[in-house]
Amino acid sequence: MNISGIFEYIGAFLILIGSIMAVISAIGILRLPDVYTRSHAATKSSTLAVLLSLTGTFIYFWASENFISVRLLLGIMFVFLTAPVAGHLITRAAYRSRVKLSDSSTEDALHDVLYGKQKDSQ
């Protein structure tokens, strides 16, 4: 087996791991109780899944066809930069809209910072 074949297997392995992470992310979105934890599952694990899949695809095409795709590199950079920011902004908008935490949440550390020391009755 030559070095190109090894890199093809590495690329295929990264794509497989990315697919598994995407399934785990989907299960997390379905099973978690509130918008904050769902947002965490949607941004962290699905971003990792997309990055692994795109990196595996880049390595596979580079090894098998000597093709370096600038589109894949731009896709990796775009997802890496925008997905965590989008998840943060969605979660922040939900908190500012006073979407309730789940009943299993034990602490709301941001409430005192944003709204002062008084507790709202909402």
Side-chain angles (χ1 to χ4, degrees):
M1 178 176 290
N2 57 7
I3 193 76
S4 177
I6 293 171
F7 277 118
E8 286 179 15
Y9 281 119
I10 290 171
F13 179 72
L14 288 175
I15 293 170
L16 176 68
I17 296 299
S19 302
I20 291 169
M21 286 300 298
V23 170
I24 291 170
S25 176
I27 292 170
I29 291 170
L30 293 174
R31 300 270 315 185
L32 292 172
D34 60 358
V35 69
Y36 308 107
T37 54
R38 287 179 186 160
S39 173
H40 182 76
T43 56
K44 302 287 186 199
S45 58
S46 64
T47 300
L48 179 62
V50 170
L51 290 176
L52 284 172
S53 298
L54 289 177
T55 304
T57 304
F58 177 78
I59 291 172
Y60 182 82
F61 281 122
W62 181 33
S64 67
E65 314 219 354
N66 282 339
F67 177 69
I68 295 177
S69 175
V70 177
R71 288 182 184 177
L72 281 173
L73 290 175
L74 288 173
I76 290 168
M77 281 188 2
F78 182 75
V79 169
F80 184 71
L81 293 174
T82 59
V85 174
H88 173 75
L89 290 177
I90 289 170
T91 305
R92 183 176 171 181
Y95 191 83
R96 296 236 178 194
S97 298
R98 297 185 187 252
V99 174
K100 296 218 181 257
L101 295 167
S102 71
D103 293 334
S104 62
S105 297
T106 58
E107 183 179 350
D108 184 4
L110 198 56
H111 186 274
D112 292 341
V113 173
L114 290 179
Y115 302 116
K117 295 291 181 189
Q118 75 275 4
K119 266 300 201 193
D120 289 344
S121 61
Q122 295 179 352

